[in-house]
């Protein structure tokens, strides 16, 4: 299965991606995670990516496309994959169509108010990447990861100014992809306002196996 999760920042793409990847035994590939890893390396490119992400802007298409093309050539992507956060522009979608034949595009639908509530309450484990929410998916022990006990952190781009810019960028550059993929017949809308188990159940129902 070759699947794209489309949706605004904070819609729950990463949360759903991890569950679907486990169910279908395919890798979940998040361009945001790949860029955050490079940013954490402290290299010159990493510093550049960190600044772009902190502003809530998009990484240039050429770089993003080559990172994804490289990642998809890994052996683990041979049986299929789930793309979380890519493509995000028409240019990325057109490039992807040159090296991947997608089966499904799930479009996570959610209101701006819910997005802001989700992103401002998000906490991340810096060690294993587990995603929490202080209200909706709290850890068992306050601010500690259930998996490894690490102190949870707030993503640099989850500050309110960056969130607002990410939403603006999403509407201008990524939202046109909804129409683009609707025209291909691949796109299905998914109500992302449900509880995580509800979103997962609907996604599996939509994917059909
Ligand atoms: P990226 O990491 O992709 O960020 P994003 O798209 O803004 O999405 P998020 O990770 O913020 O949200 P999500 O939808 O995964 O939600 P989550 O599951 O965490 O990109 C970051 C940056 O990298 C970009 O701004 C850009 O600079 C760069 N970048 C990445 N890809 C790029 C590309 N293709 N081109 C150019 N630049 C690129 O959930 C959010 C919160 O809600 C969590 O706290 C979670 O616990 C909670 N939650 C999730 N589901 C539910 C639910 N059903 N009910 C209640 N709470 C829920």
């Amino acid at each position: 299965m070759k699947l794209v999760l489309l949706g605004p920042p904070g819609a729950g793409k990463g949360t759903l991606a991890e569950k679907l990847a486990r169910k279908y035994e395919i890798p979940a590939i998040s361009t945001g995670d790949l860029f955050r890893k490079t940013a954490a390396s402290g290299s010159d490119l990493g510093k550049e990516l960190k600044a772009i992400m902190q502003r809530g802007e998009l990484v240039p298409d050429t770089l993003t496309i080559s990172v994804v093309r490289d990642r998809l050539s890994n052996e683990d992507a041979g049986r299929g994959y789930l793309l979380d956060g890519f493509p995000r522009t028409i240019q990325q979608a057109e490039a992807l169509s040159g090296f991947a034949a997608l089966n499904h595009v799930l479009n996570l639908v959610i209101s701006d108010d819910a997005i802001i509530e989700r992103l401002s309450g998000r906490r991340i484990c810096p060690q294993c990447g587990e995603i929490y929410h202080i209200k909706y998916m709290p850890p068992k022990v306050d601010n500690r990861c259930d998996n490894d006990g690490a102190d949870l952190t707030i993503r640099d781009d989850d500050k309110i100014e960056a969130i607002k810019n990410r939403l603006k960028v999403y509407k201008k550059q990524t939202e046109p992809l909804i129409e683009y993929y609707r025209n291909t017949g691949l796109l299905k809308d998914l109500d992302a306002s449900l509880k995580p188990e509800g979103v997962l159940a609907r996604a599996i129902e939509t994917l059909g196996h």
Side-chain angles (χ1 to χ4, degrees):
M1 179 189 301
K2 294 176 180 159
L3 168 68
V4 163
L5 291 187
L6 199 61
K13 300 182 295 297
T15 302
L16 177 64
E18 187 254 327
K19 296 180 190 349
L20 289 176
R22 213 176 310 135
K23 167 157 179 63
Y24 294 110
E25 299 180 344
I26 50 175
I29 297 169
S30 153
T31 36
D33 284 349
L34 293 173
F35 291 146
R36 276 185 288 278
K37 213 180 264 176
T38 309
S41 74
S43 64
D44 285 348
L45 174 61
K47 285 181 193 149
E48 213 176 301
L49 292 178
K50 190 171 174 171
I52 293 174
M53 288 191 284
Q54 272 177 348
R55 291 196 298 270
E57 288 163 9
L58 293 186
V59 174
D61 281 335
T62 325
L63 172 64
T64 305
I65 291 162
S66 94
V67 164
V68 173
R69 198 198 308 255
D70 256 26
R71 178 63 187 85
L72 295 188
S73 67
N74 282 11
E75 209 183 321
D76 69 339
R79 287 187 53 243
Y81 43 79
L82 187 164
L83 292 171
D84 160 12
F86 181 92
R88 245 169 157 104
T89 63
I90 296 285
Q91 197 184 330
Q92 292 178 15
E94 285 176 344
L96 179 66
S97 71
F99 55 88
L102 298 175
N103 306 110
H104 302 278
V105 177
L106 288 184
N107 176 39
L108 279 68
V109 181
I110 189 153
S111 70
D112 286 1
D113 286 349
I115 287 171
I116 290 172
E117 199 197 2
R118 284 188 183 183
L119 289 182
S120 46
R122 174 164 59 185
R123 300 292 181 272
I124 302 285
C125 173
Q127 284 191 27
C128 71
E130 189 76 35
I131 306 168
Y132 296 91
H133 189 280
I134 49 173
K135 181 168 162 196
Y136 300 115
M137 274 176 270
K140 291 187 188 119
V141 177
D142 204 24
N143 214 42
R144 288 283 169 92
C145 178
D146 293 350
N147 302 332
D148 50 36
D151 282 341
L152 302 181
T153 55
I154 298 177
R155 248 169 64 173
D156 283 347
D157 57 352
D158 280 348
K159 314 239 158 66
I160 191 69
E161 280 318 309
I163 294 175
K164 284 185 183 158
N165 197 37
R166 286 159 67 199
L167 272 170
K168 230 188 267 170
V169 167
Y170 167 78
K171 285 180 203 293
K172 187 162 177 227
Q173 303 200 58
T174 307
E175 215 167 49
L177 286 179
I178 297 176
E179 210 44 42
Y180 174 91
Y181 279 122
R182 212 181 286 290
N183 290 337
T184 66
L186 290 172
L187 185 127
K188 303 267 166 43
D189 290 325
L190 185 66
D191 181 357
S193 71
L194 304 172
K195 290 187 174 157
E197 317 82 67
V199 178
L200 176 66
R202 289 272 178 92
I204 293 170
E205 215 175 278
T206 306
L207 297 172
H209 44 133

